[in-house]
Amino acid sequence: MTLPVTLLEAVAVDRITPRTARVAFEARALDDTVGTTPDQQLKLCFPRPGQREPVLPAQRDDPIGWYQAYLALPEAERPVLRSFTLRRRHPGTRRIEVDFVLHGDTGPAASWALRAAPGDRLGMVGPSALYAPPVPFAEAAAAAGQVLLAGDESALPAIATLVEALPEGVRAQAWIEVADRAERQELTSRAALEVRWLYRDGAAPGGLLVEEFRRAGRPAGRPFVWLAGEAGAVRALRRSLVEEHGVPKESVDFTGYWRHRLTQDDAPTAEDLADARERSAASS
């Protein structure tokens, strides 16, 4: 399976909320299948200080070989990889949109997005089923007749694409935790969609979502459930649904996007590894 690799150039930067920047990119090359399904995961490659654009090994049919070539780059040249969700593909073009959560000037992605301007360049690896197998979300939701989604602002781009993909006749409920009321975004869907916005207003991330979820009790019926966001919160939500409310494990798709006080460069914890094994077993 070929691992797509290309350069991106920013063509527009829009602050859609005080803490979210939507960047439109023109891709040097883009497969026709990109943007045709929801929740497409990709990796962005950020240049090192002093670089006009990131140094990228060429695309190849051997994904492991590409990653080895990436690791073989001198550390001072090797781009920083971060995971994102494709927010939108403009049909018939090579233009895509990616949303960045602006959580300060402490990480490579947020600090880049704070200063992003047309002409800035990044690399893109993916989207590829190699590291993010697509979930037949719309089909699972239609079969269940109802769907429950929950996450924080890091999951908002994925949630937006998922509810946009839902067919008519499905009942959908989305629980979304954000910093405050100013971070609300408009979501559109053909499904009967109810959105519950939860505002931290200075509280630690994840706790409010878990608290409100547990307070609501067992979901009605047997919905298909999609969870994403801070890894500890996602883990607690899933345990509550499965162990306390009897939702079948196979009805819950879950992903920890980020870890409180840890970065993607930090080693995985024992719980991270356990989650990865369970996700792998569920998709095999």
Side-chain angles (χ1 to χ4, degrees):
M1 180 183 294
T2 301
L3 184 65
V5 179
T6 191
L7 279 171
L8 304 174
E9 181 168 321
V11 294
V13 181
D14 184 18
R15 189 69 66 88
I16 60 172
T17 74
R19 295 181 176 89
T20 305
R22 176 166 295 163
V23 183
F25 295 98
E26 190 77 15
R28 183 168 294 179
L30 202 61
D31 189 90
D32 289 342
T33 62
V34 172
T36 58
T37 57
D39 193 18
Q40 287 197 341
Q41 303 299 301
L42 53 89
K43 292 188 183 297
L44 293 180
C45 308
F46 295 86
R48 293 288 185 172
Q51 293 178 335
R52 174 73 176 87
E53 61 187 41
V55 177
L56 297 175
Q59 177 174 301
R60 59 176 70 186
D61 292 334
D62 174 18
I64 295 177
W66 184 90
Y67 190 63
Q68 289 174 337
Y70 163 79
L71 293 176
L73 292 170
E75 186 174 355
E77 298 179 10
R78 189 189 312 141
V80 178
L81 295 182
R82 289 293 183 265
S83 300
F84 286 85
T85 302
L86 178 69
R87 178 61 188 89
R88 183 176 290 112
R89 162 80 179 271
H90 291 259
T93 73
R94 295 196 305 275
R95 183 166 296 193
I96 64 170
E97 294 176 359
V98 179
D99 288 357
F100 293 77
V101 178
L102 306 175
H103 50 75
D105 200 11
T106 57
S111 60
W112 180 90
L114 279 170
R115 302 170 178 82
D120 291 348
R121 295 176 186 170
L122 299 180
M124 182 173 74
V125 182
S128 172
L130 276 169
Y131 53 75
V135 175
F137 176 80
E139 295 86 342
Q146 55 184 325
V147 63
L148 177 61
L149 308 100
D152 57 28
E153 52 266 73
S154 70
L156 247 177
I159 291 174
T161 65
L162 289 166
V163 299
E164 287 169 0
L166 288 173
E168 293 182 5
V170 172
R171 289 184 292 119
Q173 189 176 76
W175 295 58
I176 307 172
E177 179 189 295
V178 293
D180 53 42
R181 183 175 293 273
E183 295 306 302
R184 290 176 60 137
Q185 297 182 27
E186 194 69 31
L187 300 180
T188 60
S189 179
R190 291 171 294 170
L193 175 64
E194 176 190 353
V195 183
R196 297 192 184 188
W197 293 97
L198 306 174
Y199 310 119
R200 286 192 299 273
D201 290 327
L208 181 60
L209 184 59
V210 173
E211 177 186 335
E212 291 296 320
F213 224 70
R214 284 177 169 157
R215 183 179 299 165
R218 192 187 194 286
R222 292 187 60 178
F224 180 75
V225 182
W226 184 95
L227 308 172
E230 197 282 319
V234 169
R235 197 173 291 123
L237 291 173
R238 179 172 176 271
R239 286 174 179 165
S240 177
L241 287 166
V242 173
E243 297 173 8
E244 300 172 20
H245 302 305
V247 176
K249 285 185 176 181
E250 59 271 20
S251 296
V252 182
D253 181 68
F254 65 101
T255 309
Y257 281 170
W258 62 285
R259 299 173 296 169
H260 193 42
R261 297 193 176 92
L262 295 173
T263 74
Q264 290 187 27
D265 299 321
D266 292 313
T269 65
E271 289 185 311
D272 293 333
L273 294 172
D275 287 349
R277 287 193 293 270
E278 187 152 356
R279 281 180 54 82
S280 178
S283 62
S284 61

